[in-house]
Amino acid sequence: MEVIEGCRLPVLRRNQENEDEWPLAEILSVKDISGRKVFYVHYIDFNKRLDEWVTPERLDLKKIQFPKKEAKTPTKNGLPGSRPSSPERDLGLPYLASSASLQRVSVVKIPDRTNSIENVTKNLLSKRKLEAVSLTTQCSPATPVAPAPEIPTPVFAQQNGSVRRPVSVVTGRKRKAGCLGTDEDSQDSSDGIPSAPRMTGSLVSDRSHDDIVTRMKNIECIELGRHRLKPWYFSPYPQELTSLPVLYLCEFCLKYLKSLKCLQRHLTKCNLRHPPGNEIYRKGTISFFEIDGRKNKNYSQNLCLLAKCFLDHKTLYYDTDPFLFYVMTEYDCKGFHIVGYFSKEKESTEDYNVACILTLPPYQRRGYGKLLIEFSYELSKVEGKTGTPEKPLSDLGLLSYRSYWSQTILEILMELKSENGERPQITINEISELTSIKKEDVISTLQYLNLINYYKVGQC
């Protein structure tokens, strides 16, 4: 029995309690290593960061489910979903469709007149020949006939060695200055062709472009300073680096290098000992640096490539101009080491105060994530407005935000004092103004804590 891509079957894995379990998994890829097959599996209803390569011994072949062959709908004029073309349908004659099986249909004999199928077809062909002749006679020999325009093929734009998704090259339109492979009108697609990804604004991932390549981790291991990190998700590093056992990163400028010797040679030339930009906060060994995506493009792009290894719900774009990056570091005698970061749009029309937020795995479960969230809201207080993180949040991001919102709102409620012996009162708008948490997030948190109820008039 051959296991192919798309199969589903139980796969042996160890859970958090170090117990064996057999969850259902899907085979995403198969490869040979030294003459032995290994399988890349995604556990159904589990997060993609748990995907892994497994050996045949861990597969339960008795319960294998082969992929179903999808019935392809015939196409007409290149548009999927149309019914198949037929002479009867094209000529306006009744279209006969059988149900499950083929059935014999009695055919009514049509009199041999000009409206018969053969005669109509001959008439159509003769008309087309006459039209073609008339067109050629209209063009004088001195006037060259313009060649038929070629259909534009997708172009893979590259920057920093990373391959981006195909972008349709549209002729006859002006290109927006500073954009790579996009145009000003690429957001609207009237032909049903997928529009090119926009280069500014939101970083929310468009899941419709997922393919088998981006569903698989492509980096085995990353060495960043004194830590070795196992990536969780795909990140578009250059293709030649994906086959390396370890990808080396300079922990100060985040430049990626292919070997330890290259890294050592780079460190003799790299003058950075902290992220580029302005240090805007320091307490003890913790510092925050504000980095402008327009002024420090290389660092910002390298930071996004690293972050994409641990963020699945965001899409990586190479125009970092609209964003500010706030990098949290931990200081020691060797310099300022990156702990985590969050980014935000310089001008957000939807009151987003965070676009992406990440605490690197070696520093998780130590309170740094909550500190990043709190710092983003402190910036919103300075700006004098409420803010909210860009949706959707990852599973870990939602837990961190829900924990911060709950703690912050409960602290305010606990500090309320009664006046004149009456029960203390506060409105949702007042909580939002005090915390800079958007009103919708305040309401959802109160509902999560079962601290808010709705009553119909006359029932309370």
Short mmCIF file of all heavy atoms in Angstrom, two decimals, residues 110-143:
data_model
loop_
_atom_site.label_atom_id
_atom_site.label_comp_id
_atom_site.label_asym_id
_atom_site.label_seq_id
_atom_site.Cartn_x
_atom_site.Cartn_y
_atom_site.Cartn_z
N ILE A 110 -35.56 16.31 -37.09
CA ILE A 110 -35.83 17.67 -37.53
C ILE A 110 -35.89 17.69 -39.04
O ILE A 110 -35.04 17.10 -39.71
CB ILE A 110 -34.73 18.63 -37.03
CG1 ILE A 110 -34.64 18.55 -35.51
CG2 ILE A 110 -34.99 20.06 -37.48
CD1 ILE A 110 -33.50 19.33 -34.93
N PRO A 111 -36.89 18.35 -39.59
CA PRO A 111 -36.97 18.42 -41.07
C PRO A 111 -35.74 19.09 -41.65
O PRO A 111 -35.12 19.95 -41.01
CB PRO A 111 -38.22 19.28 -41.31
CG PRO A 111 -39.02 19.18 -40.05
CD PRO A 111 -38.04 18.99 -38.94
N ASP A 112 -35.36 18.66 -42.83
CA ASP A 112 -34.15 19.18 -43.48
C ASP A 112 -34.42 20.57 -44.03
O ASP A 112 -34.71 20.76 -45.20
CB ASP A 112 -33.71 18.23 -44.59
CG ASP A 112 -32.34 18.61 -45.11
OD1 ASP A 112 -31.67 19.44 -44.45
OD2 ASP A 112 -31.95 18.06 -46.15
N ARG A 113 -34.36 21.56 -43.13
CA ARG A 113 -34.56 22.94 -43.52
C ARG A 113 -33.31 23.72 -43.12
O ARG A 113 -32.33 23.17 -42.60
CB ARG A 113 -35.80 23.51 -42.83
CG ARG A 113 -37.09 22.84 -43.33
CD ARG A 113 -38.29 23.73 -42.96
NE ARG A 113 -38.33 23.91 -41.52
CZ ARG A 113 -39.31 23.46 -40.75
NH1 ARG A 113 -40.30 22.80 -41.30
NH2 ARG A 113 -39.30 23.67 -39.46
N THR A 114 -33.39 25.03 -43.33
CA THR A 114 -32.21 25.86 -43.03
C THR A 114 -31.92 25.93 -41.55
O THR A 114 -30.82 26.33 -41.16
CB THR A 114 -32.43 27.29 -43.54
OG1 THR A 114 -33.65 27.79 -43.00
CG2 THR A 114 -32.46 27.30 -45.06
N ASN A 115 -32.89 25.56 -40.69
CA ASN A 115 -32.62 25.62 -39.25
C ASN A 115 -32.10 24.30 -38.70
O ASN A 115 -32.02 24.11 -37.51
CB ASN A 115 -33.88 26.04 -38.48
CG ASN A 115 -35.01 25.06 -38.67
OD1 ASN A 115 -34.97 24.25 -39.59
ND2 ASN A 115 -36.03 25.16 -37.81
N SER A 116 -31.79 23.32 -39.57
CA SER A 116 -31.18 22.08 -39.08
C SER A 116 -29.76 22.35 -38.62
O SER A 116 -29.14 23.33 -39.01
CB SER A 116 -31.19 21.02 -40.18
OG SER A 116 -30.35 21.44 -41.23
N ILE A 117 -29.24 21.45 -37.81
CA ILE A 117 -27.91 21.65 -37.21
C ILE A 117 -26.84 21.75 -38.28
O ILE A 117 -25.98 22.63 -38.26
CB ILE A 117 -27.59 20.49 -36.25
CG1 ILE A 117 -28.55 20.53 -35.06
CG2 ILE A 117 -26.15 20.57 -35.76
CD1 ILE A 117 -28.42 19.36 -34.13
N GLU A 118 -26.89 20.83 -39.29
CA GLU A 118 -25.85 20.84 -40.30
C GLU A 118 -25.87 22.13 -41.10
O GLU A 118 -24.84 22.76 -41.34
CB GLU A 118 -26.01 19.64 -41.25
CG GLU A 118 -25.76 18.29 -40.58
CD GLU A 118 -26.97 17.80 -39.81
OE1 GLU A 118 -28.01 18.49 -39.83
OE2 GLU A 118 -26.86 16.75 -39.16
N ASN A 119 -27.10 22.54 -41.53
CA ASN A 119 -27.18 23.74 -42.35
C ASN A 119 -26.81 25.00 -41.57
O ASN A 119 -26.16 25.91 -42.09
CB ASN A 119 -28.61 23.89 -42.91
CG ASN A 119 -28.92 22.82 -43.94
OD1 ASN A 119 -27.99 22.26 -44.53
ND2 ASN A 119 -30.20 22.52 -44.14
N VAL A 120 -27.24 25.05 -40.29
CA VAL A 120 -26.91 26.22 -39.47
C VAL A 120 -25.40 26.31 -39.28
O VAL A 120 -24.79 27.38 -39.35
CB VAL A 120 -27.64 26.16 -38.11
CG1 VAL A 120 -27.11 27.23 -37.17
CG2 VAL A 120 -29.14 26.31 -38.30
N THR A 121 -24.76 25.15 -39.04
CA THR A 121 -23.31 25.15 -38.85
C THR A 121 -22.60 25.63 -40.11
O THR A 121 -21.66 26.41 -40.06
CB THR A 121 -22.83 23.73 -38.48
OG1 THR A 121 -23.58 23.27 -37.36
CG2 THR A 121 -21.36 23.74 -38.12
N LYS A 122 -23.08 25.14 -41.29
CA LYS A 122 -22.45 25.57 -42.54
C LYS A 122 -22.63 27.06 -42.76
O LYS A 122 -21.72 27.76 -43.19
CB LYS A 122 -23.08 24.78 -43.71
CG LYS A 122 -22.67 23.32 -43.76
CD LYS A 122 -23.37 22.61 -44.89
CE LYS A 122 -23.01 21.12 -44.91
NZ LYS A 122 -23.74 20.39 -45.98
N ASN A 123 -23.83 27.55 -42.44
CA ASN A 123 -24.07 28.99 -42.60
C ASN A 123 -23.16 29.82 -41.71
O ASN A 123 -22.63 30.85 -42.10
CB ASN A 123 -25.53 29.32 -42.27
CG ASN A 123 -26.48 28.79 -43.33
OD1 ASN A 123 -26.06 28.57 -44.47
ND2 ASN A 123 -27.74 28.56 -42.96
N LEU A 124 -22.98 29.34 -40.45
CA LEU A 124 -22.11 30.07 -39.52
C LEU A 124 -20.68 30.10 -40.03
O LEU A 124 -19.99 31.12 -39.98
CB LEU A 124 -22.16 29.42 -38.13
CG LEU A 124 -23.42 29.69 -37.30
CD1 LEU A 124 -23.38 28.86 -36.03
CD2 LEU A 124 -23.54 31.17 -36.95
N LEU A 125 -20.20 28.95 -40.50
CA LEU A 125 -18.82 28.88 -40.99
C LEU A 125 -18.63 29.77 -42.21
O LEU A 125 -17.62 30.47 -42.34
CB LEU A 125 -18.47 27.43 -41.35
CG LEU A 125 -18.30 26.47 -40.16
CD1 LEU A 125 -18.12 25.04 -40.65
CD2 LEU A 125 -17.10 26.90 -39.32
N SER A 126 -19.62 29.77 -43.12
CA SER A 126 -19.48 30.62 -44.31
C SER A 126 -19.50 32.09 -43.94
O SER A 126 -18.78 32.90 -44.52
CB SER A 126 -20.61 30.30 -45.29
OG SER A 126 -21.87 30.55 -44.69
N LYS A 127 -20.35 32.45 -42.94
CA LYS A 127 -20.40 33.84 -42.50
C LYS A 127 -19.06 34.26 -41.92
O LYS A 127 -18.55 35.35 -42.15
CB LYS A 127 -21.49 34.02 -41.44
CG LYS A 127 -22.89 34.17 -42.03
CD LYS A 127 -23.89 34.42 -40.92
CE LYS A 127 -25.30 34.53 -41.50
NZ LYS A 127 -26.29 34.77 -40.42
N ARG A 128 -18.43 33.39 -41.09
CA ARG A 128 -17.14 33.72 -40.48
C ARG A 128 -16.07 33.91 -41.55
O ARG A 128 -15.21 34.77 -41.44
CB ARG A 128 -16.74 32.63 -39.49
CG ARG A 128 -17.54 32.68 -38.21
CD ARG A 128 -17.24 31.51 -37.30
NE ARG A 128 -18.10 31.53 -36.14
CZ ARG A 128 -18.19 30.54 -35.26
NH1 ARG A 128 -17.49 29.43 -35.47
NH2 ARG A 128 -18.99 30.63 -34.22
N LYS A 129 -16.13 33.03 -42.61
CA LYS A 129 -15.15 33.18 -43.68
C LYS A 129 -15.32 34.50 -44.40
O LYS A 129 -14.36 35.20 -44.72
CB LYS A 129 -15.29 32.02 -44.67
CG LYS A 129 -14.76 30.69 -44.13
CD LYS A 129 -14.94 29.60 -45.15
CE LYS A 129 -14.44 28.26 -44.60
NZ LYS A 129 -14.62 27.17 -45.57
N LEU A 130 -16.58 34.89 -44.65
CA LEU A 130 -16.85 36.16 -45.32
C LEU A 130 -16.37 37.34 -44.47
O LEU A 130 -15.80 38.30 -44.97
CB LEU A 130 -18.35 36.29 -45.60
CG LEU A 130 -18.92 35.39 -46.72
CD1 LEU A 130 -20.44 35.48 -46.76
CD2 LEU A 130 -18.31 35.78 -48.07
N GLU A 131 -16.61 37.26 -43.14
CA GLU A 131 -16.17 38.34 -42.25
C GLU A 131 -14.66 38.45 -42.23
O GLU A 131 -14.09 39.54 -42.22
CB GLU A 131 -16.70 38.10 -40.83
CG GLU A 131 -18.19 38.33 -40.71
CD GLU A 131 -18.73 37.89 -39.35
OE1 GLU A 131 -17.91 37.40 -38.54
OE2 GLU A 131 -19.93 38.03 -39.12
N ALA A 132 -13.99 37.29 -42.22
CA ALA A 132 -12.52 37.30 -42.21
C ALA A 132 -11.98 37.91 -43.50
O ALA A 132 -11.02 38.68 -43.49
CB ALA A 132 -11.98 35.88 -42.03
N VAL A 133 -12.64 37.58 -44.64
CA VAL A 133 -12.20 38.14 -45.92
C VAL A 133 -12.41 39.64 -45.96
O VAL A 133 -11.56 40.41 -46.40
CB VAL A 133 -12.94 37.44 -47.09
CG1 VAL A 133 -12.66 38.15 -48.40
CG2 VAL A 133 -12.52 35.99 -47.17
N SER A 134 -13.57 40.09 -45.44
CA SER A 134 -13.86 41.53 -45.46
C SER A 134 -12.89 42.30 -44.58
O SER A 134 -12.51 43.42 -44.88
CB SER A 134 -15.30 41.77 -45.00
OG SER A 134 -15.47 41.35 -43.66
N LEU A 135 -12.47 41.69 -43.47
CA LEU A 135 -11.51 42.36 -42.58
C LEU A 135 -10.17 42.51 -43.26
O LEU A 135 -9.49 43.53 -43.15
CB LEU A 135 -11.36 41.57 -41.27
CG LEU A 135 -12.51 41.74 -40.26
CD1 LEU A 135 -12.32 40.78 -39.10
CD2 LEU A 135 -12.55 43.18 -39.75
N THR A 136 -9.72 41.47 -43.95
CA THR A 136 -8.41 41.53 -44.60
C THR A 136 -8.41 42.50 -45.76
O THR A 136 -7.41 43.16 -46.05
CB THR A 136 -8.00 40.13 -45.11
OG1 THR A 136 -9.06 39.61 -45.92
CG2 THR A 136 -7.74 39.18 -43.95
N THR A 137 -9.58 42.64 -46.44
CA THR A 137 -9.62 43.59 -47.57
C THR A 137 -9.67 45.02 -47.08
O THR A 137 -9.24 45.94 -47.79
CB THR A 137 -10.87 43.30 -48.43
OG1 THR A 137 -12.03 43.31 -47.59
CG2 THR A 137 -10.74 41.96 -49.13
N GLN A 138 -10.18 45.24 -45.85
CA GLN A 138 -10.23 46.59 -45.32
C GLN A 138 -8.85 47.11 -44.99
O GLN A 138 -8.62 48.32 -45.01
CB GLN A 138 -11.12 46.65 -44.08
CG GLN A 138 -12.61 46.54 -44.42
CD GLN A 138 -13.45 46.45 -43.16
OE1 GLN A 138 -12.91 46.57 -42.07
NE2 GLN A 138 -14.74 46.21 -43.32
N CYS A 139 -7.92 46.25 -44.66
CA CYS A 139 -6.56 46.67 -44.30
C CYS A 139 -5.75 46.82 -45.58
O CYS A 139 -5.59 45.86 -46.32
CB CYS A 139 -5.91 45.63 -43.37
SG CYS A 139 -6.77 45.45 -41.80
N SER A 140 -5.24 47.99 -45.79
CA SER A 140 -4.43 48.22 -46.99
C SER A 140 -3.07 47.57 -46.81
O SER A 140 -2.60 47.41 -45.70
CB SER A 140 -4.26 49.73 -47.21
OG SER A 140 -3.63 50.32 -46.10
N PRO A 141 -2.39 47.22 -47.94
CA PRO A 141 -1.08 46.55 -47.82
C PRO A 141 -0.05 47.41 -47.11
O PRO A 141 0.87 46.90 -46.50
CB PRO A 141 -0.70 46.30 -49.29
CG PRO A 141 -1.98 46.35 -50.05
CD PRO A 141 -2.86 47.29 -49.33
N ALA A 142 -0.20 48.75 -47.21
CA ALA A 142 0.81 49.62 -46.58
C ALA A 142 0.64 49.68 -45.08
O ALA A 142 1.55 50.08 -44.37
CB ALA A 142 0.71 51.04 -47.17
N THR A 143 -0.56 49.31 -44.57
CA THR A 143 -0.81 49.40 -43.12
C THR A 143 -0.55 48.05 -42.49
O THR A 143 -1.26 47.08 -42.77
CB THR A 143 -2.27 49.81 -42.86
OG1 THR A 143 -2.53 50.99 -43.61
CG2 THR A 143 -2.51 50.04 -41.38
#
